[in-house]
Amino acid sequence: MIALACDHGGYELMQTVKENLDKRNQKYKDFGTYTSESCDYPEIAVRAARAISSGECDKGIFICGTGAGMSMTANKIRGIRAAVCSDVYTAEMIRRHNDANVLALGARILPPELAIEIVGVFLDTGFDGGRHGRRVEMINALDEK
Ligand code: RB5
């Protein structure tokens, strides 16, 4: 189950992402926003991030204007490893090396076709483990009690 979160800046791109997830038969839970009216991205990101942290969802796709606010908020939540991606290589590596569980996208930066390609790579790429597992554990150990 994929947790989806966007603000007004990411709303339109999120509709395209949802169409693509439907084509892939990928299940998702949409935490909003549900219109293009201005809203506060931390409120939405935290709800979706907590659903990943609790195990209700496995991964997330969070979209705002730049991806920055969404990723900053998500990374405050225990167990979240969110990264902003604007290219396919980074999308592959945040899965292989960092076991990222949230992909943050900037709707004001990315052409929709590239965003969809990045989503596909994020969803289809596994974690390499090995020495990268040790490093991810080091990140996880930094979660504040
Ligand atoms: C909203 O205007 C914009 O600040 C937001 O979408 C995001 O880019 C913040 O990081």
Side-chain angles (χ1 to χ4, degrees):
M1 180 73 76
I2 305 295
L4 301 182
C6 69
D7 72 352
H8 53 288
Y11 176 75
E12 206 177 305
L13 179 58
M14 186 58 89
Q15 307 321 301
T16 307
V17 167
K18 281 163 73 174
E19 278 169 27
N20 182 260
L21 296 178
D22 288 338
K23 277 188 205 149
R24 295 171 59 106
N25 288 319
Q26 172 63 60
K27 289 204 171 102
Y28 53 80
K29 184 163 178 183
D30 187 353
F31 289 85
T33 186
Y34 306 110
T35 73
S36 53
E37 243 175 76
S38 183
C39 64
D40 298 328
Y41 59 79
E43 288 182 353
I44 296 156
V46 75
R47 285 200 298 263
R50 282 187 177 137
I52 299 166
S53 184
S54 72
E56 181 190 355
C57 296
D58 317 298
K59 286 187 187 134
I61 300 169
F62 292 16
I63 312 178
C64 61
T66 60
M70 281 286 178
S71 66
M72 287 178 190
T73 309
N75 278 321
K76 291 281 183 189
I77 305 303
R78 173 174 292 275
I80 299 300
R81 291 177 304 282
V84 184
C85 266
S86 299
D87 64 274
V88 166
Y89 177 73
T90 306
E92 181 185 337
M93 298 317 282
I94 64 165
R95 288 293 309 127
R96 288 183 54 191
H97 285 192
N98 313 114
D99 199 17
N101 50 14
V102 171
L103 170 69
L105 299 173
R108 294 177 183 154
I109 298 166
L110 290 169
E113 306 73 33
L114 178 56
I116 294 303
E117 205 184 333
I118 288 171
V119 165
V121 170
F122 175 74
L123 294 179
D124 294 339
T125 304
F127 178 46
D128 282 358
R131 66 186 184 281
H132 303 294
R134 185 179 72 240
R135 292 164 186 162
V136 168
E137 279 313 311
M138 290 168 79
I139 298 175
N140 292 345
L142 296 171
D143 275 340
E144 307 254 326
K145 302 274 177 236

